[in-house]
Amino acid sequence: MTIVERTESFERRGRVAQAVERLRPIFGDRLSLNETVLAQHGQTTTWLPHEAPDVVVFAETTADVVAVVEVCRDLRLPVVPYGVGTSLEGQVNAPFGGITIDFSRMNRILTVHAEDLDCVVEPGVTRTQLNAYLRDQGLFFPIDPGADASLGGMVGTRASGTNAVRYGTMRENVIALTAVMADGSVVRTQSRARKSSSGYDLTRLLVGSEGTLGIVTEITLRLHGLPEAIISGVCPFGAIGDACNAVIATIQSGLPVARIEFIDELGLRAVNRRSHLDLPETPTLFLEFHGTEASVAEQAARFGEIAAEFGGGPFRSESRPEDRNRLWHARHEFYWASRDLRPGSESFVTDACVPISRLAECVTETMRDLEESDLVATVVGHVGDGNFHTQLLVDMSDAAEVERAKTFVGRLAHRAIAMDGTCTGEHGVGQGKMKYLIEEHGPGLAVMAALKRALDPLNILNPGKILPDIAAA
Amino acid sequence: MTIVERTESFERRGRVAQAVERLRPIFGDRLSLNETVLAQHGQTTTWLPHEAPDVVVFAETTADVVAVVEVCRDLRLPVVPYGVGTSLEGQVNAPFGGITIDFSRMNRILTVHAEDLDCVVEPGVTRTQLNAYLRDQGLFFPIDPGADASLGGMVGTRASGTNAVRYGTMRENVIALTAVMADGSVVRTQSRARKSSSGYDLTRLLVGSEGTLGIVTEITLRLHGLPEAIISGVCPFGAIGDACNAVIATIQSGLPVARIEFIDELGLRAVNRRSHLDLPETPTLFLEFHGTEASVAEQAARFGEIAAEFGGGPFRSESRPEDRNRLWHARHEFYWASRDLRPGSESFVTDACVPISRLAECVTETMRDLEESDLVATVVGHVGDGNFHTQLLVDMSDAAEVERAKTFVGRLAHRAIAMDGTCTGEHGVGQGKMKYLIEEHGPGLAVMAALKRALDPLNILNPGKILPDIAAA
């Protein structure tokens, strides 16, 4: 630590002490300075260093969040929102210390408007909690990132998952937000109307902003009726290109496929082993169709025909819930299945998204790159959206391998951007992807920085995320 | 005109002369000072006074737009983008003069990526021009506001129309934008990837901003495959409430209805007269289903059952293209049909949008209000979204009637906002709806103003629209 850093750290400790003094009467034992608690909240699922905050508070109301933001505004301290800590790019790290707001106690489902197909929830509610609550009413919320993330975190990263090809991402499924802004004001971004042309789209501005523009305290979500009938299935292909072309043809034909997921050969082997399945170990699509009995049968038959045109198949479909669940459970276990392939390794997942016409090329080049880089990784993709993930299995004791893995991630980002795609389709920027934004956005990055300065001039809201060039509070 | 106003006007004329001097070499005879041309570009479809710009230029490239914005930035002159002039709230008025950029010559369809279901167009392309171009490729662009608006204008107002219930609005169907910002920089808001978590959503920030944050010069749009089969139909109901409840049940059942439009009794009479139809003159739904042959037949049958549950029907469906077209042509002639009801009157359309559970109540109260206010108006609605329009037929020579109509529009806005809806579902704010935004957005309006100041500190981009409290350049 340099003298300047030590001085700054000492100076910050004084401000932190003042903040604790002001917040203790409000939070009592919901304010923690316990080293273990602090360390837990600075833990990331990435290879980025863990960076703990100075203080953790457990919020229970919007007023609690206002109190924290006002204190941090007055004392120039960072505020970091924390859901369940499953983000993949260091979004919950506290590189400049400050106060982390843990939302695990703000996990109430406030209202379900069944007639309007929407609900209002607090940000600590997780997606499985919400769906368990909704099931009796014949409703569901479709966005399903791999982890059982909090809905606040999913707003932050503009999350999606396997159903996005039909139901959209958080971008399309958040109707309105209540957020505490950097000046302490509480804003509701819009009404519950399905459509609005009434001014700037503050909802979409906050979705994907990772807590850097406002701290979300209530979320109005769009819901969907549980489909009357569901068919799931798997379809093997001879090569990645064939699988991708079948996906393109499926989407283009207007088939309203609910899920269309790609898993590569190595990934299939991992899934077979972990979930005791005997699927052919070849590039494979996992699919699901939602609709009426007649409609899902027709969709499945049509997909089978399209797959055959591209040399794929047979398309094995399952309509019994237990068979379908076994299949999707295997898909959702993909992360753990992949880890099992190389015991003792650490696992890092990176994502990219390209126009679907470039998907086969992007995945093929990426797999060649992995081989040439002597790296072990599985590939899985929400291919209906052109989005895929690479799960690297890295021996962290081998510095050269870690370095190769890091440069591989950089090449993947550049490759996706060069194909008119993005360095992140659904994981967000956090700390990990900041360095690619200037390449991806050019002058757009200056616009983003101007928005950040306008809404958070002191840079207290989750500093050090998304925007590379803005110094912390 | 006060002395201050005259001095300002005189001073502005000097700046305008300088702007003309700088722009003439670039635009030649594409720069117009002709009074008729100026007057045409300040004409509105509303009862707001017409306000002409000082200069009109006909842009042909993004570089042209940059040149205008740079000159206006240097000389502190307003820039107003103009498509085809069909906006309904005074969006193209030039209340502080300045330069209007006419986009009618930027009407090229630049690229169609059929495999990716997207295309890139210039802002002067109209929706019917695009669809005529796409038809051979089996693709279409679904957003259809009443007028044959330009796509640039549709981006500006976050337009929607009859298909939004299934295909979304401009919010969901714009993938990326190229825009000239107030400082003259050219920004592409995002890549062509379907999904992205890469920073702030600049696309959605510009969609609906009515040219106040940036001037759009290229639009990447999401396309859809033409449905294999289509069934359209009409279904009469005994009362508005029954029709609305049938809509709610239809949406909730997950029926993927493509269009579900409401027309009131008086509107039906107008439609019958103009289009020589003999539909029962009662609250009626116009519907359309898209899918495979089997699926549309099933959807139509299911809707018929739902309608019957609410006392509606019989549901008369048509699958022959000429019959379907006759029906939708009648629907799209609604504006002219309504005008015919009261020859000599002027017609003003206002829209509002509420959660669908409040729709019957909102429409019923609005119709009672019309009656009590002694006003003549038809009601039509994109009811699947909770959005409806009131088309007032006003005798402009009767000052008292005009006043009653204006206060009625205000009450409608307040009513919608009080029901957790919005004062505009798809027409935008422009000048006409500015006065309702503080009631609708509260502290959110200050956030919008901060965004405007950050991106357009000199307030040169379409000043006097959306935000009430910002003075012109």
Side-chain angles (χ1 to χ4, degrees):
Chain A
M1 205 183 252
T2 66
I3 289 180
V4 171
E5 282 169 348
R6 268 165 53 199
T7 312
E8 279 175 359
S9 163
F10 179 76
E11 192 276 326
R12 192 178 80 214
R13 278 207 296 276
R15 285 181 286 136
V16 169
Q18 289 178 61
V20 170
E21 199 178 323
R22 282 179 60 182
L23 292 172
R24 182 70 84 187
I26 300 168
F27 285 90
D29 59 9
R30 293 187 289 121
L31 182 154
S32 180
L33 301 171
N34 178 296
E35 286 298 333
T36 309
V37 172
L38 299 182
Q40 279 164 353
H41 285 82
Q43 209 162 75
T44 78
T45 56
T46 72
W47 47 34
L48 296 162
H50 300 181
E51 296 165 318
D54 298 308
V55 183
V56 172
V57 297
F58 293 84
E60 291 182 349
T61 62
T62 297
D64 281 348
V65 176
V66 170
V68 174
V69 169
E70 285 182 344
V71 164
C72 287
R73 174 199 67 198
D74 295 348
L75 297 166
R76 310 284 193 270
L77 284 170
V79 189
V80 182
Y82 185 99
V84 296
T86 52
S87 61
L88 289 160
E89 297 292 349
Q91 279 92 344
V92 298
N93 250 346
F96 308 102
I99 302 182
T100 288
I101 304 179
D102 183 306
F103 281 96
S104 58
R105 299 190 192 181
M106 279 184 79
N107 67 342
R108 283 161 292 200
I109 295 164
L110 300 174
T111 332
V112 176
H113 303 103
E115 286 197 321
D116 295 317
L117 293 174
D118 72 43
C119 68
V120 185
V121 304
E122 291 182 329
V125 172
T126 72
R127 63 177 183 86
T128 60
Q129 180 194 346
L130 177 60
N131 278 321
Y133 186 89
L134 293 172
R135 198 166 297 133
D136 290 348
Q137 301 180 63
L139 299 170
F140 81 115
F141 180 70
I143 319 296
D144 65 337
D148 186 20
S150 70
L151 289 158
M154 289 166 64
V155 168
T157 58
R158 203 181 290 127
S160 56
T162 65
N163 289 300
V165 63
R166 171 150 179 173
Y167 297 96
T169 71
M170 290 301 279
R171 184 174 72 192
E172 287 80 22
N173 286 281
V174 175
I175 293 173
L177 295 168
T178 299
V180 179
M181 308 307 284
D183 63 359
S185 64
V186 178
V187 165
R188 186 165 175 239
T189 56
Q190 66 187 64
S191 74
R192 281 204 304 115
R194 269 304 157 97
K195 299 191 322 198
S196 175
S197 286
S198 178
Y200 306 150
D201 191 343
L202 300 183
T203 311
R204 254 47 61 182
L205 184 64
L206 290 180
V207 172
S209 69
E210 303 184 359
T212 64
L213 299 178
I215 309 278
V216 170
T217 60
E218 273 187 28
I219 309 166
T220 304
L221 292 169
R222 187 171 178 168
L223 302 176
H224 300 263
L226 276 171
E228 177 187 313
I230 298 177
I231 287 182
S232 304
V234 284
C235 187
F237 285 83
I240 294 170
D242 296 334
C244 288
N245 286 328
V247 172
I248 292 173
T250 303
I251 303 288
Q252 245 189 340
S253 74
L255 210 67
V257 56
R259 289 166 153 170
I260 188 160
E261 299 278 304
F262 170 80
I263 299 185
D264 75 332
E265 280 177 74
L266 184 60
L268 235 287
R269 189 183 318 160
V271 164
N272 271 343
R273 273 204 221 163
R274 181 168 180 99
S275 299
H276 311 293
L277 297 174
D278 57 355
L279 301 169
E281 290 175 7
T282 170
T284 296
L285 295 178
F286 280 52
L287 295 110
E288 191 162 275
F289 303 101
H290 294 175
T292 62
E293 293 288 352
S295 145
V296 294
E298 188 184 29
Q299 291 179 57
R302 294 228 163 181
F303 174 76
E305 290 162 19
I306 292 170
E309 277 173 44
F310 294 92
F315 173 50
R316 257 175 55 183
S317 68
E318 320 272 9
S319 55
R320 292 195 316 167
E322 55 273 33
D323 297 328
R324 290 194 284 105
N325 289 344
R326 203 184 53 227
L327 210 57
W328 289 106
H329 185 257
R331 165 66 187 85
H332 275 120
E333 286 277 288
F334 186 81
Y335 176 81
W336 301 106
S338 296
R339 287 193 71 134
D340 290 349
L341 285 174
R342 195 180 182 194
S345 68
E346 278 298 314
S347 185
F348 303 102
V349 187
T350 187
D351 91 314
C353 189
V354 294
I356 195 171
S357 63
R358 306 300 296 272
L359 184 64
E361 184 186 355
C362 197
V363 171
T364 306
E365 280 186 27
T366 300
M367 291 180 74
R368 189 186 313 133
D369 187 355
L370 284 168
E371 202 175 314
E372 287 169 7
S373 308
D374 195 19
L375 291 165
V376 183
T378 52
V379 175
V380 64
H382 311 311
V383 283
D385 305 311
N387 183 206
F388 69 99
H389 304 182
T390 309
Q391 184 172 345
L392 292 158
L393 304 166
V394 182
D395 175 358
M396 295 301 281
S397 68
D398 181 343
E401 183 177 331
V402 172
E403 193 48 38
R404 289 202 307 281
K406 287 185 179 178
T407 57
F408 161 83
V409 169
R411 282 192 303 278
L412 174 52
H414 299 315
R415 187 178 299 127
I417 293 167
M419 291 184 182
D420 207 357
T422 171
C423 69
T424 171
E426 58 180 22
H427 293 174
V429 178
Q431 299 174 309
K433 294 279 171 87
M434 284 200 294
K435 53 179 158 304
Y436 311 118
L437 293 204
I438 184 68
E439 179 181 344
E440 182 169 336
H441 297 292
L445 201 58
V447 176
M448 293 185 200
L451 298 174
K452 170 70 174 175
R453 279 192 301 271
L455 299 192
D456 181 21
L458 303 172
N459 194 24
I460 59 168
L461 300 180
N462 209 5
K465 316 295 165 66
I466 297 185
L467 291 162
D469 291 319
I470 292 189
Chain B
M1 205 183 253
T2 66
I3 290 181
V4 171
E5 282 168 348
R6 268 164 52 199
T7 311
E8 279 175 358
S9 165
F10 179 77
E11 192 275 326
R12 192 178 81 214
R13 279 208 295 277
R15 285 180 285 136
V16 169
Q18 289 177 61
V20 170
E21 198 178 324
R22 282 178 60 181
L23 291 172
R24 181 70 83 186
I26 300 168
F27 285 90
D29 60 8
R30 294 186 289 121
L31 182 153
S32 180
L33 301 170
N34 178 296
E35 287 297 334
T36 311
V37 172
L38 299 182
Q40 279 164 354
H41 285 82
Q43 210 163 74
T44 78
T45 56
T46 71
W47 46 34
L48 297 162
H50 300 181
E51 296 166 318
D54 299 306
V55 184
V56 172
V57 297
F58 294 83
E60 291 181 348
T61 62
T62 297
D64 281 348
V65 177
V66 171
V68 175
V69 170
E70 285 182 345
V71 164
C72 287
R73 175 199 64 198
D74 295 349
L75 296 166
R76 309 284 191 272
L77 285 168
V79 189
V80 182
Y82 185 98
V84 296
T86 52
S87 61
L88 291 160
E89 295 293 349
Q91 280 91 346
V92 298
N93 250 346
F96 309 102
I99 302 182
T100 287
I101 304 179
D102 183 306
F103 281 96
S104 58
R105 299 190 193 182
M106 280 185 77
N107 66 344
R108 284 162 291 201
I109 293 163
L110 301 174
T111 332
V112 175
H113 304 103
E115 286 197 320
D116 295 318
L117 293 175
D118 72 46
C119 67
V120 185
V121 303
E122 291 182 331
V125 173
T126 71
R127 63 177 183 84
T128 60
Q129 180 193 345
L130 178 61
N131 278 320
Y133 186 90
L134 292 172
R135 197 167 297 132
D136 290 348
Q137 302 181 61
L139 299 171
F140 81 114
F141 180 69
I143 318 296
D144 67 336
D148 186 20
S150 70
L151 289 158
M154 289 165 63
V155 168
T157 58
R158 203 180 290 129
S160 58
T162 66
N163 289 300
V165 64
R166 171 151 177 173
Y167 298 95
T169 72
M170 291 301 278
R171 184 173 71 192
E172 287 81 22
N173 285 280
V174 175
I175 293 173
L177 296 167
T178 299
V180 179
M181 309 306 286
D183 62 0
S185 64
V186 178
V187 165
R188 185 164 177 242
T189 56
Q190 66 186 63
S191 74
R192 281 203 304 115
R194 270 305 158 94
K195 299 190 322 197
S196 175
S197 286
S198 178
Y200 306 151
D201 191 343
L202 300 182
T203 311
R204 253 47 59 181
L205 184 64
L206 290 180
V207 171
S209 68
E210 301 184 3
T212 63
L213 299 178
I215 310 278
V216 170
T217 62
E218 273 186 29
I219 309 166
T220 304
L221 292 169
R222 186 171 179 167
L223 303 176
H224 301 264
L226 276 171
E228 177 186 314
I230 300 177
I231 287 181
S232 303
V234 284
C235 188
F237 285 83
I240 294 170
D242 296 333
C244 289
N245 286 328
V247 173
I248 293 173
T250 303
I251 303 288
Q252 244 189 341
S253 75
L255 211 66
V257 58
R259 288 166 154 171
I260 188 159
E261 298 279 303
F262 170 80
I263 298 185
D264 75 333
E265 279 177 73
L266 184 61
L268 236 286
R269 190 183 317 159
V271 164
N272 272 342
R273 275 205 220 161
R274 182 169 180 98
S275 300
H276 311 293
L277 298 175
D278 57 355
L279 300 169
E281 290 174 5
T282 170
T284 295
L285 295 178
F286 280 51
L287 295 110
E288 191 163 277
F289 303 102
H290 294 174
T292 61
E293 294 288 353
S295 143
V296 293
E298 187 184 30
Q299 290 178 58
R302 293 227 164 181
F303 173 76
E305 289 162 20
I306 292 170
E309 276 173 45
F310 294 93
F315 173 51
R316 259 176 51 183
S317 68
E318 319 274 8
S319 54
R320 291 195 316 167
E322 55 272 33
D323 297 327
R324 289 194 285 106
N325 289 344
R326 203 184 53 230
L327 209 57
W328 288 106
H329 185 258
R331 166 65 187 84
H332 275 121
E333 286 278 288
F334 185 80
Y335 176 81
W336 301 107
S338 296
R339 288 192 71 133
D340 292 348
L341 286 173
R342 195 180 183 193
S345 68
E346 279 297 316
S347 185
F348 303 102
V349 187
T350 188
D351 89 316
C353 189
V354 294
I356 197 171
S357 62
R358 307 298 296 274
L359 183 64
E361 184 185 356
C362 195
V363 172
T364 306
E365 280 186 26
T366 300
M367 293 181 74
R368 189 187 312 134
D369 187 353
L370 284 167
E371 202 175 314
E372 288 170 6
S373 308
D374 195 18
L375 291 165
V376 183
T378 53
V379 176
V380 64
H382 311 309
V383 283
D385 306 310
N387 183 207
F388 69 99
H389 303 182
T390 308
Q391 184 171 345
L392 291 158
L393 303 167
V394 182
D395 176 357
M396 295 302 282
S397 69
D398 181 342
E401 184 177 330
V402 172
E403 192 49 37
R404 288 202 308 278
K406 289 186 178 177
T407 57
F408 161 81
V409 169
R411 282 193 303 277
L412 174 52
H414 298 315
R415 186 178 301 126
I417 293 167
M419 290 183 183
D420 207 357
T422 170
C423 68
T424 172
E426 58 181 22
H427 293 175
V429 178
Q431 300 174 308
K433 294 279 171 87
M434 283 201 293
K435 52 180 159 304
Y436 312 118
L437 294 203
I438 183 68
E439 180 182 342
E440 182 170 335
H441 297 292
L445 201 58
V447 176
M448 294 185 199
L451 298 174
K452 170 70 173 173
R453 280 192 302 271
L455 299 192
D456 181 20
L458 304 172
N459 195 24
I460 59 169
L461 300 180
N462 209 5
K465 317 295 163 65
I466 297 184
L467 291 163
D469 291 319
I470 293 190

